[in-house]
Structures are given as C-alpha cells and as structure tokens.
Amino acid sequence: MNSIEIKDVSFQYQSNTPVLQDINLTIKKGEWVTILGHNGSGKSTLSKLIIGLLKAKTGQILVNGIELNPETVQDIRQKVGIVFQNPDNQFVGVTVRDDIAFGLENLQVPREDMVERIEKYAKKVNMSDFLNKEPHALSGGQKQRVAIAGILAMNTDIIIFDEATSMLDPKGRNMVLDTMKQLRSEGKTIITITHTMKEALLSDRIVVLKQGRILKVGNSKDILKDKETLEKSNLEMLLPLRILYDLEQTNYSNERIKNLLWELSLSV
Amino acid sequence: MKNIVIGRYIPGNTFLYKMDPRTKIIALIILMVSVFIIRSFTFMLGSLGIIIIVLLIGKISVKRVYLGLRPLMFLLIFTFVFQILFNTQGELLIERTLYYTLYTIPITILIITFWIFTKRYIRFKLLYFLLVLTSIVYVLTTLDLGYTIGQGELSIYSQGVEMAFFIMIRLIIIVTLSTILTLTTKPTDLNLGLESVLKPLKIFRVNTEEIAMILAISLRYIPTLLDEANKIMLAQASRGVDFSEGKLKDKVMQIVSLLVPMFIISFKRSDDLANAMEARSFVPGRPRTRLQVLKWTRLDTITLGITFIALITSISLRIFL
C-alpha cells in the first residue's frame, strides 16, 4: 500500500522562480525515505505541501489514497505528523504534558482518553519523568522528543522530520535518531528531510533534490556511494564511503574491506 | 533580565494555592471595586490590615509583594507629593514661606546635581530621594539671606496629607492583590480561569477561546523571548554597544539595535509556531476538549461569599456614613 503519492507537483511563491518542479514520488507504507538536498533545494517546501500548509500550483498529492484538497486537509493532518527544525518554535504548551495534549485537544479527544495517551507516549519517548517540566528546563533533544510524542499521541501513520536534528547537539541528535529507529520498527512511515549524511544512511531510500527537481531516487546504499550525484547537488560524502567509491573505481575486489568501510560509515 | 520575579508563579501549598483560579480572578475584581468604593481613611487602613493578615496566613513573603510594588514606586511617590503640595482642603497644618534668593537657588541646584550623580551608588534610593527632598525644602524655608528674587508658599493641609496616604494605600492594596493572584496561580490555571470568566462575553460574539489561546502562547513565550533578548544584547555588546551608559540619543539607538532583531526573530518564530499548530490540527474557532479541568470546592464558595460581604459592606459604608 502506498502512504504518499506525489504526482507532477510544482510549486512557486508569487512571481518567483519555481521552488519545486515536476515532482513525482511514491512512498510505500512502512518505508523510511530521506529527502536529501542542500539549502534552498525545496525540500522543506515539499513537506509543507504534503501536510497542506502550502498549496501546490499543479499536480496531485495522495495520502493513504485520499487526495489532498481543502475538504480533506484536516483528515490528512491526522494521518501525517511533522517535527520541525526549531525545538522552541513548535512547543505550544506551557508544560510537557500540555504540549503533548495540544494536538489531542484539537481533535476533541475526551479527557480520560487524553490522560492515558499522554502517559503512554511520554513513556515511549522516555519523557515520563518530565511531564510537568516547562520547555526552558529541557534540552533541545528532549523538546524534539516531546514533539514526537505529541504527534504519536494523535495516532499518525506518517511522520515527517523536517531537519528535526539540525539544531541539536550530538547527544540530542542521537536521542532523536534512536526514536526514529524505534518508530520504523513499529511500522510507521518515516520521511526525513536533511542535508546530513548520517540520517540518510539509516533510511531505506533516498531522494536527492536539486533546485526544485528530483535529481535521483534510489536505495540508500547506492546513492550514498554515488559521488557524481552527490557532488552535483553540493552534498558532502562521508569519508569511508568516498574511499569505498574510489576503491570501486579501481576494480578493487576485497569484499571484507568494502564491508568494513560500509560499517565504518554507519558508526561515524 | 532573566530573573524577572514580578508576577511569576512560586510553588506553595497554602489555601491561596488551593483556590480555583476563577474564584481568585472574580475575588480580585470584586475586592478592587470595593477598595475604590471605600472613602474613609480608617476603613482603607483596615483593608490594608486584612490583606496583610491574608498574606501572613497564605505564607506569601512580603519581599515578593514589595518587588511587585517597586516598578510603581515612581507613581506612588508622585501622587503622594502631588497630593501633599496641591490639595488645599481641610485644616491648614503648616504654612511656610519659600525664599528664592541668590543663595538658595544655587544651593538647590547643587543638591539636585549631587543627587543625580550619586543616586546610582546608594542602595536605598527611596530614602535618599526623601532626604534630598526634605533638605531642599529646609534650605528654601530657612535660608533667607541675599537678594530675594521671589517668594513662594508652602502650605500643607490636613486633607492633603490624608489623601496622600489614602491614595498610596489604595494603590498598594490593588497591586498587592494582583501580585497575590499571579504568585499563587500557575499560568495554565490562570489562563483557564480567565477563559471561563470571560465566557459570558460570548454573547457579544467575542471569541474567548482565541483570547485564551493568545494569552497562553504569550505566557509560554515570555521566557523564550527574554532569553533571545539577552542573547541579542550580548551580541550587540560584543560589537561595542553599551546598554547601561550613554546619552538619551545613544540610548534610543541601543534600544533600536535590540528591538529590530527582536521583531524579526519574533515574526519568524510566530510563523514557525503557526505552522506547527496548524500541522497538529489546530483550527481557530473550532471547539476543543481540555486536558486541565477546574474544580470548584467549598473553599471557593466561602471565599466568594466573603468578598461579596466586603463589597456590600463598602457600598453601605459609602451610603450611610
């Protein structure tokens, strides 16, 4: 089953050059897809289009088989959650508890149900001990996990991480990445939007965007070794993978070294 | 700038904390109205006494209340001095002639300049100010040496003194009451309370839920924006802007250098926040359920009863006395 289908989507802000052009992309249920691109490649715009915060100029977006339009946008927002870049700017509640509750209050979930779900999902992201804490008492990684809990509590199938780790320190980033891995194992569809290779490495598929167009779509392993594509889109290769690429160019055949380099890149 | 204490919630466990925020808000309004109705000095003093007792039972430190009063010090002193000097009702208590002579005018100017340059080193600014004021009055009334340029009159009337204290006590009571409210109520509760107190306004098509949402978000973002302001001030300081010194013109430029980035950042933040809220299915005006619920207890009924009695008493005192 397809989670998200994007057909011939183009988008532009008024009287400007197009931000996105002829985007065609299908994301299967339970898949982890990374949208990779340098600044200004239109990757954040794509996420806002999927959730209906922006309206595509042409084309069609289907989420769980439902076409996105003004009538269905509220239903679709219950299916798709999005974690934004800045942890501070998406924390609506005065405390962690209030913030997780925010989405539930909007969906008019009864109070008893709400309390139960808050406990459950706070536990899932390891934030149970912080329920009464205020945002300024939390680290960036903790705030992002609260945001994830808030989305999970709404029972979304698809979660978009819009550069969700780019403002975090390494520790916070690892906390969020661990949560992402856990979500994947539970069968959620995950879309990460990033320009760092480490996140891309964890995903199943990579979509490389350049100046609003899809440059290449492929398996993570193939794309991350693809020096040409990455160079074209101003992205930096992980060092072990660069060595791997260079070795392959010289018809080097020691599989053990190749595997070792691949493993190394995962642990960078 | 980070340790702004005025109106910040401080955890506690006395009866003031157990009250429903709705009760506290309504009681605050009723008591403020009562205080404005009272005309007699003795009853005003009595009200102050009652409030001090409430503070003591409620275990609220007087220091916190004083910190709440501090920003209003200027207003307090101004009305006090104004009333004493210009109210001409009641008995005449003191009448003195002020001599403006070639000696007294330079001495006065000297004292004032001395005060302006030394006040920043003095801890008790208020006492120091009063000392300076009395010494000026003393100089003007006693020294009649030299060529007299003009004469003025300093006359203090009993009613003036009484009104001065009366108004000061009234202001203190009002500020203390609102400080009690904000010190003992969590922002979330305060917000919920406000929302349900404002509910009757729905008849006039006022969207009370939206007002409550706006208030909640502003409360949520005050610490974040203060942090931001701090960061910008540090950044500007590292570029050579000094926020504590300078002439008025420089000060304006310093404030501009703080405000412009603050505005831009706030707009960016609110844009992000709006996106995040919409993404989580927020639709303005659509009904929402609530996680927090308010509980009305007997304490609330009793408190409201007492405040109503206070209101009725003050009205009847006004009519019959």
Side-chain angles (χ1 to χ4, degrees):
Chain A
M1 199 186 145
N2 292 331
S3 265
I4 292 175
E5 283 171 73
I6 299 168
K7 292 176 188 164
D8 300 320
V9 164
S10 298
F11 177 81
Q12 69 181 84
Y13 293 100
Q14 274 169 359
S15 74
N16 273 346
T17 46
V19 182
L20 287 174
Q21 266 180 297
D22 308 326
I23 303 291
N24 279 294
L25 184 64
T26 307
I27 296 170
K28 286 191 207 76
K29 196 167 187 299
E31 199 179 17
W32 183 342
V33 174
T34 297
I35 296 172
L36 206 58
H38 58 92
N39 290 336
S41 60
K43 53 194 197 306
S44 280
T45 309
L46 189 59
S47 71
K48 283 181 185 150
L49 286 173
I50 294 171
I51 203 163
L53 289 171
L54 295 173
K55 197 179 171 297
K57 199 160 171 278
T58 57
Q60 196 185 24
I61 295 173
L62 297 166
V63 176
N64 283 354
I66 305 165
E67 194 194 336
L68 176 74
N69 59 38
E71 278 108 59
T72 58
V73 69
Q74 290 307 328
D75 299 329
I76 283 171
R77 281 181 193 164
Q78 292 183 33
K79 295 286 151 224
V80 189
I82 180 162
V83 182
F84 291 94
Q85 182 177 21
N86 190 326
D88 269 319
N89 296 358
Q90 53 183 316
F91 206 106
V92 187
V94 181
T95 61
V96 171
R97 192 190 297 278
D98 288 339
D99 190 61
I100 300 177
F102 178 75
L104 301 175
E105 290 176 331
N106 293 335
L107 296 181
Q108 299 173 48
V109 175
R111 187 172 177 275
E112 298 76 37
D113 201 8
M114 226 190 280
V115 174
E116 210 172 277
R117 284 205 217 173
I118 291 169
E119 299 284 337
K120 183 179 165 194
Y121 290 103
K123 203 171 170 192
K124 182 161 261 174
V125 297
N126 282 328
M127 290 298 288
S128 295
D129 301 336
F130 299 90
L131 277 176
N132 292 320
K133 286 271 193 300
E134 290 168 19
H136 52 87
L138 303 177
S139 71
Q142 286 170 331
K143 280 180 218 171
Q144 291 300 59
R145 283 188 292 155
V146 172
I148 295 170
I151 287 163
L152 290 177
M154 292 168 79
N155 283 332
T156 50
D157 307 329
I158 304 157
I159 301 175
I160 304 173
F161 292 87
D162 188 351
E163 305 217 31
T165 61
S166 68
M167 286 178 79
L168 305 180
D169 53 8
K171 202 180 155 199
R173 175 172 304 185
N174 286 334
M175 287 198 291
V176 174
L177 287 179
D178 285 342
T179 315
M180 284 185 197
K181 284 182 211 162
Q182 194 194 338
L183 293 176
R184 191 248 288 272
S185 67
E186 284 162 18
K188 302 265 184 203
T189 309
I190 300 176
I191 303 171
T192 44
I193 291 165
T194 184
H195 57 256
T196 55
M197 290 295 159
K198 179 120 200 252
E199 278 176 63
L201 214 53
L202 294 166
S203 61
D204 304 320
R205 242 180 350 139
I206 293 180
V207 178
V208 183
L209 279 186
K210 197 200 174 189
Q211 286 168 347
R213 286 175 186 278
I214 291 182
L215 193 66
K216 200 155 193 181
V217 184
N219 282 334
S220 296
K221 284 195 174 183
D222 301 334
I223 297 272
L224 286 171
K225 284 191 296 185
D226 187 345
K227 196 178 175 187
E228 272 171 48
T229 310
L230 293 180
E231 260 172 11
K232 250 192 231 164
S233 51
N234 294 332
L235 292 159
E236 205 161 313
M237 248 175 139
L238 288 171
L239 186 62
L241 292 178
R242 245 190 95 175
I243 299 170
L244 189 65
Y245 175 84
D246 288 343
L247 286 177
E248 277 176 358
Q249 294 298 307
T250 56
N251 291 327
Y252 185 78
S253 60
N254 189 334
E255 284 299 319
R256 244 189 85 202
I257 299 285
K258 281 187 188 174
N259 281 334
L260 213 61
L261 284 168
W262 185 254
E263 296 270 314
L264 190 64
S265 66
L266 280 170
S267 63
V268 169
Chain B
M1 206 144 161
K2 245 182 153 181
N3 38 15
I4 284 188
V5 271
I6 316 144
R8 187 174 271 190
Y9 171 74
I10 290 154
N13 199 26
T14 58
F15 77 99
L16 287 171
Y17 287 88
K18 285 174 187 146
M19 251 182 239
D20 190 301
R22 286 172 289 186
T23 316
K24 282 192 253 189
I25 293 166
I26 297 170
L28 174 73
I29 296 166
I30 293 175
L31 289 177
M32 276 186 175
V33 171
S34 320
V35 164
F36 270 99
I37 288 171
I38 292 175
R39 273 295 144 91
S40 137
F41 185 73
T42 24
F43 289 121
M44 188 58 87
L45 215 57
S47 322
L48 184 66
I50 292 170
I51 283 168
I52 290 171
I53 292 169
V54 169
L55 280 180
L56 289 178
I57 301 175
K59 287 184 187 152
I60 291 172
S61 77
V62 181
K63 201 187 150 201
R64 295 269 173 213
V65 179
Y66 169 71
L67 285 173
L69 275 169
R70 216 160 58 171
L72 286 172
M73 250 348 159
F74 176 74
L75 187 69
L76 281 176
I77 293 169
F78 182 77
T79 45
F80 189 83
V81 172
F82 191 84
Q83 282 294 334
I84 284 193
L85 290 184
F86 298 108
N87 194 321
T88 55
Q89 281 168 327
E91 287 171 59
L92 189 64
L93 292 179
I94 302 167
E95 193 172 23
R96 290 280 168 80
T97 322
L98 298 173
Y99 303 100
Y100 307 128
T101 69
L102 281 183
Y103 279 96
T104 56
I105 290 173
I107 291 176
T108 311
I109 293 169
L110 212 70
I111 292 176
I112 292 173
T113 33
F114 182 73
W115 172 67
I116 287 171
F117 280 105
T118 53
K119 68 176 175 186
R120 74 172 68 162
Y121 305 109
I122 306 287
R123 247 194 102 185
F124 301 98
K125 288 194 176 62
L126 189 63
L127 276 177
Y128 189 52
F129 175 74
L130 289 175
L131 187 77
V132 167
L133 203 67
T134 36
S135 53
I136 289 174
V137 171
Y138 181 78
V139 166
L140 286 177
T141 48
T142 49
L143 273 178
D144 56 348
L145 301 164
Y147 177 72
T148 311
I149 297 167
Q151 273 185 357
E153 249 179 40
L154 175 75
S155 37
I156 296 172
Y157 292 85
S158 62
Q159 194 82 55
V161 177
E162 205 182 298
M163 276 308 279
F165 278 105
F166 183 79
I167 291 173
M168 195 168 78
I169 293 173
R170 185 152 75 186
L171 270 174
I172 289 174
I173 288 177
I174 288 167
V175 176
T176 311
L177 282 173
S178 34
T179 315
I180 291 177
L181 175 72
T182 50
L183 279 182
T184 62
T185 321
K186 274 187 214 152
T188 19
D189 289 344
L190 191 63
N191 192 42
L192 273 177
L194 262 180
E195 192 188 339
S196 60
V197 169
L198 287 176
K199 232 165 214 166
L201 285 179
K202 273 202 163 161
I203 304 167
F204 307 109
R205 300 211 169 170
V206 179
N207 195 334
T208 51
E209 274 139 22
E210 257 167 57
I211 295 173
M213 178 59 76
I214 292 166
L215 280 173
I217 288 171
S218 357
L219 282 173
R220 149 74 185 89
Y221 276 91
I222 286 170
T224 314
L225 289 178
L226 278 179
D227 267 358
E228 200 76 63
N230 249 341
K231 247 184 243 168
I232 294 169
M233 276 164 80
L234 285 176
Q236 300 288 28
S238 74
R239 292 172 177 80
V241 179
D242 189 344
F243 282 94
S244 55
E245 303 271 322
K247 292 181 208 128
L248 186 67
K249 199 184 136 203
D250 299 336
K251 281 234 157 96
V252 171
M253 285 313 290
Q254 288 156 11
I255 289 171
V256 168
S257 75
L258 175 68
L259 279 186
V260 171
M262 275 305 280
F263 261 102
I264 292 169
I265 288 167
S266 309
F267 277 118
K268 172 95 181 65
R269 269 188 199 284
S270 51
D271 200 28
D272 280 0
L273 183 68
N275 276 338
M277 287 170 72
E278 260 194 82
R280 282 160 79 183
S281 297
F282 179 74
V283 181
R286 200 171 73 172
R288 309 170 70 222
T289 47
R290 282 313 175 86
L291 175 67
Q292 314 282 357
V293 261
L294 299 172
K295 275 200 196 103
W296 191 270
T297 59
R298 231 164 74 210
L299 176 69
D300 299 301
T301 321
I302 296 167
T303 316
L304 272 195
I306 293 172
T307 50
F308 265 111
I309 291 169
L311 178 68
I312 292 163
T313 321
S314 55
I315 290 173
S316 42
L317 283 174
R318 174 84 179 265
I319 294 170
F320 299 116
L321 286 180

